[in-house]
Amino acid sequence: MSRKRHRLVSETFGLKRRRERGDGEADPLRGESGSARAAVAELVRLFPRGLFEDALPPIALRSQVYSLVPDRTVADRQLKELQEEGEIRVIQLGFDLDAHGIIFTEDYRTKVLKACDGRPYAGAVQKFLASVLPACGDLSFQQDQMTQTFGFRDPEITQLVNAGVLTVRDAGSWWLAVPGAGKFIKYFVKGRQAVLGMVRKAKYQELLLSELLGRRVPATVRLGLSYHVHDLIGAQLVDCISTTSGTLLRLAET
Amino acid sequence: MLGFLSARQAGLDDPLHLRRAESTRRVLGLELNKDRDVERVHGSGVNTLDIEPVEGRYMLSGGSDGVIVLYDLQNSSRQPYYTCKAVCSIGRSHPDVHKYSVETVQWYPHDTGMFTSSSFDKTLKIWDTNTLQAADVFNFEETVYSHHMSPVATKHCLVAGLFGTRGPKVQLCDLKSGSCSHILQGHRQEILAVSWSPRYEYILATASADSRVKLWDVRRASGCLITLDQHNGKKSQAVESANTAHNGKVNGLCFTSDGLHLLTVGTDNRMRLWNSSNGENTLVNYGKVYNDSRKGLKFTVSCGCSSEFVFVPYGSTIAVYTVYSGEKITMLKGHYKSVDCCVFQSNFQELYSGSRDCNILAWVPALYEPVPDDDETTTKSQLNPAFEDAWSSSDEEG
């Protein structure tokens, strides 16, 4: 006799029932399924390629994935799986140690090869892309890993740093980086402050999402309003409150 | 709940199942109760709280003015309204009182006859509870940030004391011999939190302002066992110096009650759950756990519920999360200033928290309203005949 009572204690006492189900269809931002890969694919479509003359691969941020996938732990685990399979690369963006950019490996490879075409460091970069990228899925690389396991000499490592593929983290360790990402980071930081400022200046420091998306875009926001709104929601810089008129964005108190 | 009770009665379910279900239900209903109070004795912020592990009846609190107070938590009066009274205290007039702020107090894990306290006046004092005298004093050259004694140790009586400023080290003091046994070196900046594992009596975890969390075996002479890495990088790297557990200072450390997992909080506003046997980040994401405390933050984990909860001071509130899934259950609001410490009493599922506004608040599970007695129905029928109306609803009488 099967017993329906064998449910988790947490379900019985409404731990799951307490979680607010945000409105699915009415909200233009949250119409996403629970998968991290689908979320990254959708965010990559929001990236303005033409702004950087197609020299940068489309970058999505981890905080944006959190805004589309409601459970953060599940999102983190799925991103970790994608990283281990080699489908995406996670890049440390310099302005905030917590902000990680997510790029599809294929896009990263093609754009880096295009960027270093014809330059003196092309050989070192190609060797790096061929040997290190498939082998090591981490965000950072250590000195002895590069010299012993992959056989890079010091001048070659200097060439990689000059090419923009590696950024210095500490003495003897480097972060993986995207060449030419400086412009993106500058626009991103300015745009984030601008959109946050729009919410801050509103009365009671809260704005309806539909009103925010309908407003005139300030000149400092070059990456698109919805790109920044995803990031703000996921980074918990604004609280997302569902009301009868739609989603409300309120500035977080702390 | 009736389903659980009848299953337990019929023997279909494990007895532990009902106990865990009831504990979980009570923790989910924690709130401030007007009937429960803790007597206000401290004149300045409460830095640390500890409930004795034997009976769960007595609680120690240490304040920023060096005062240590002992409370009796048990409600022996028949009234629902109860104030936890201070049984005794080591006040400013006591000859052995600490000169500066008391940072950590801890009961001796095996009985309530003794407790230890460490303070910014560079001493660690061992107190006898019955006579309230300092039985022993360890003097150091630097301020003691925190200390901890192993709750499961039977073969050793080591107290791990933390120091920071001049040389960041963990000093292990032996209570049986009264002297310091050895030093654990390895951190680069001051160490803010320490905890012994509740599972293995020789394993110790330390958290430091240089963003690193290290696991040590105190019997081993050569350095730490593991430095926790938040990105779960390849372990083949020979140099572990770049591993960081958080992107800021690591403030607080807490093992889960079975000792298999470790929770850490840092000033990068994140809380992380680690597997304590291999040091792997389990990637459970709790969201933004606001933390701007410059010294150690003392948080606690529930014990005996079906899904464990962690209670973290979040500004002037306490945030409650489930440990293994990262979901935020509720925020307990009640303090006026920032909360510094909280402890969980697992026998009655109560939470006590101390804050900089000198108050200790008791969070008690919300009980059902008492069912009214049956005498009320008889009184209703005794209406004054003057108020009875003579109007009849029958159609026949005109």
Side-chain angles (χ1 to χ4, degrees):
Chain A
M1 178 167 45
S2 69
R3 299 222 149 253
K4 265 201 250 169
R5 198 189 309 106
H6 283 298
R7 300 154 71 197
L8 293 176
V9 175
S10 52
E11 280 173 10
T12 315
F13 291 126
L15 257 184
K16 292 206 174 148
R17 264 181 251 139
R18 276 168 180 241
R19 200 190 309 158
E20 282 172 29
R21 301 254 166 237
D23 42 340
E25 325 74 25
D27 198 338
L29 282 191
R30 286 200 180 229
E32 188 47 61
S33 66
S35 156
R37 174 192 299 186
V40 176
E42 181 171 318
L43 289 165
V44 149
R45 263 177 266 143
L46 280 178
F47 185 83
R49 289 174 186 243
L51 191 59
F52 304 102
E53 285 110 32
D54 220 16
L56 268 190
I59 306 178
L61 271 90
R62 195 186 274 264
S63 45
Q64 292 173 333
V65 177
Y66 291 153
S67 83
L68 287 175
V69 180
D71 190 352
R72 292 170 165 246
T73 312
V74 164
D76 271 344
R77 295 213 171 116
Q78 286 178 351
L79 285 174
K80 185 81 190 171
E81 270 170 29
L82 290 174
Q83 200 181 347
E84 274 162 17
E85 285 164 18
E87 222 177 295
I88 58 171
R89 293 304 306 197
V90 181
I91 307 278
Q92 178 81 303
L93 299 172
F95 60 91
D96 188 4
L97 280 170
D98 234 351
H100 294 155
I102 302 172
I103 310 180
F104 281 116
T105 318
E106 278 318 299
D107 291 337
Y108 180 73
R109 197 188 289 268
T110 42
K111 295 294 193 256
V112 168
L113 282 174
K114 207 170 89 168
C116 72
D117 221 5
R119 302 291 189 94
Y121 41 70
V125 174
Q126 276 160 12
K127 182 176 164 194
F128 179 78
L129 287 179
S131 62
V132 181
L133 268 199
C136 181
D138 291 341
L139 285 86
S140 68
F141 306 99
Q142 308 294 324
Q143 168 95 26
D144 36 1
Q145 193 186 14
M146 293 289 278
T147 47
Q148 280 151 26
T149 328
F150 298 114
F152 277 87
R153 294 184 311 269
D154 277 341
E156 285 180 330
I157 299 182
T158 319
Q159 281 186 333
L160 288 176
V161 177
N162 286 344
V165 176
L166 290 181
T167 310
V168 170
R169 170 184 178 178
D170 203 359
S173 68
W174 297 273
W175 296 115
L176 186 66
V178 182
K183 217 159 93 165
F184 165 75
I185 295 176
K186 190 173 77 166
Y187 289 156
F188 182 81
V189 172
K190 284 222 175 78
R192 191 194 238 194
Q193 292 305 320
V195 179
L196 206 53
M198 280 165 80
V199 180
R200 196 177 290 132
K201 286 199 192 105
K203 193 174 182 192
Y204 307 120
Q205 296 180 333
E206 58 190 19
L207 264 188
L208 274 179
L209 181 62
S210 42
E211 195 190 319
L212 176 64
L213 291 177
R215 278 200 183 175
R216 197 175 64 89
V217 180
T220 40
V221 175
R222 312 280 285 257
L223 299 171
L225 270 181
S226 46
Y227 192 86
H228 284 294
V229 168
H230 275 297
D231 166 60
L232 287 181
I233 295 176
Q236 289 179 302
L237 291 166
V238 289
D239 292 328
C240 225
I241 301 157
S242 56
T243 61
T244 45
S245 332
T247 317
L248 186 73
L249 297 178
R250 184 183 292 156
L251 203 65
E253 287 131 41
T254 48
Chain B
M1 185 42 71
L2 286 179
F4 285 113
L5 279 171
S6 60
R8 169 72 186 93
Q9 199 175 20
L12 292 163
D13 264 350
D14 200 65
L16 201 52
H17 201 192
L18 170 65
R19 179 174 161 174
R20 291 183 151 235
E22 179 65 17
S23 308
T24 311
R25 186 182 72 86
R26 284 169 67 88
V27 172
L28 288 175
L30 274 182
E31 61 174 27
L32 271 184
N33 196 337
K34 59 177 166 48
D35 288 335
R36 182 68 73 90
D37 219 354
V38 177
E39 190 184 343
R40 183 176 167 157
V41 178
H42 279 283
S44 61
V46 180
N47 277 339
T48 174
L49 290 171
D50 190 40
I51 298 185
E52 46 110 359
V54 180
E55 268 184 329
R57 180 175 170 175
Y58 295 106
M59 180 166 79
L60 275 175
S61 72
S64 302
D65 48 3
V67 171
I68 301 174
V69 187
L70 189 90
Y71 297 93
D72 181 0
L73 300 177
Q74 191 174 42
N75 183 0
S76 38
S77 70
R78 302 296 183 91
Q79 329 282 329
Y81 175 69
Y82 173 66
T83 306
C84 300
K85 290 256 174 279
V87 172
C88 56
S89 77
I90 300 169
R92 298 302 314 163
S93 52
H94 195 280
D96 288 326
V97 70
H98 281 288
K99 290 200 198 53
Y100 301 129
S101 138
V102 173
E103 286 300 307
T104 314
V105 282
Q106 194 194 355
W107 285 102
Y108 181 61
H110 305 294
D111 63 57
T112 53
M114 194 163 90
F115 60 90
T116 51
S117 68
S118 67
S119 140
F120 271 4
D121 66 353
K122 307 182 186 173
T123 59
L124 175 79
K125 294 196 176 171
I126 323 284
W127 301 86
D128 178 334
T129 322
N130 295 313
T131 59
L132 268 199
Q133 306 280 332
D136 199 0
V137 179
F138 289 94
N139 287 305
F140 303 107
E141 300 91 33
E142 297 172 349
T143 52
V144 191
Y145 281 102
S146 179
H147 77 274
H148 197 241
M149 204 159 137
S150 173
V152 294
T154 47
K155 297 206 187 61
H156 70 91
C157 285
L158 289 174
V159 178
L162 299 183
F163 308 91
T165 41
R166 238 176 300 147
K169 56 187 197 270
V170 182
Q171 182 123 45
L172 293 165
C173 310
D174 185 16
L175 289 185
K176 270 203 211 125
S177 62
S179 63
C180 302
S181 72
H182 60 287
I183 293 177
L184 303 174
Q185 297 260 25
H187 280 291
R188 292 188 202 155
Q189 285 178 30
E190 60 254 20
I191 306 174
L192 294 171
V194 68
S195 183
W196 290 87
S197 160
R199 197 175 177 87
Y200 302 111
E201 52 183 356
Y202 292 108
I203 303 289
L204 178 65
T206 54
S208 151
D210 64 356
S211 330
R212 288 176 178 81
V213 175
K214 289 186 189 267
L215 284 171
W216 310 80
D217 183 334
V218 297
R219 299 166 293 186
R220 192 169 131 153
S222 60
C224 70
L225 291 175
I226 314 173
T227 308
L228 300 182
D229 181 16
Q230 57 175 309
H231 301 298
N232 282 346
K234 300 261 181 327
K235 291 292 181 295
S236 59
Q237 296 170 9
V239 179
E240 272 192 340
S241 61
N243 286 350
T244 54
H246 279 266
N247 292 324
K249 301 188 194 183
V250 190
N251 269 359
L253 204 58
C254 186
F255 276 94
T256 53
S257 46
D258 52 13
L260 293 173
H261 288 93
L262 175 64
L263 279 160
T264 57
V265 280
T267 50
D268 59 346
N269 298 335
R270 296 271 171 256
M271 181 157 69
R272 299 210 158 94
L273 182 73
W274 309 84
N275 185 335
S276 60
S277 49
N278 58 7
E280 192 193 307
N281 185 354
T282 56
L283 296 177
V284 178
N285 194 325
Y286 300 94
K288 182 172 166 188
V289 182
Y290 178 66
N291 181 355
D292 67 344
S293 172
R294 269 186 263 154
K295 51 177 193 172
L297 196 69
K298 295 174 178 63
F299 61 101
T300 182
V301 180
S302 73
C303 174
C305 304
S306 69
S307 54
E308 301 294 353
F309 302 99
V310 57
F311 306 94
V312 185
Y314 188 119
S316 63
T317 63
I318 302 172
V320 184
Y321 298 93
T322 42
V323 174
Y324 300 109
S325 70
E327 202 186 322
K328 185 189 280 198
I329 305 293
T330 180
M331 305 271 280
L332 301 174
K333 294 187 172 59
H335 279 289
Y336 301 123
K337 285 198 193 163
S338 55
V339 181
D340 274 332
C341 52
C342 49
V343 282
F344 186 71
Q345 214 267 25
S346 48
N347 293 336
F348 294 105
Q349 290 86 38
E350 291 164 356
L351 183 71
Y352 293 89
S353 58
S355 118
R356 227 168 276 180
D357 61 1
C358 322
N359 280 329
I360 300 175
L361 287 182
W363 308 84
V364 172
L367 302 170
Y368 293 124
E369 289 293 316
V371 177
D373 289 337
D374 277 336
D375 336 315
E376 283 191 321
T377 51
T378 50
T379 53
K380 270 188 202 147
S381 58
Q382 291 166 5
L383 271 182
N384 193 331
F387 296 123
E388 279 178 349
D389 52 21
W391 176 75
S392 163
S393 62
S394 162
D395 281 337
E396 289 161 1
E397 298 178 301

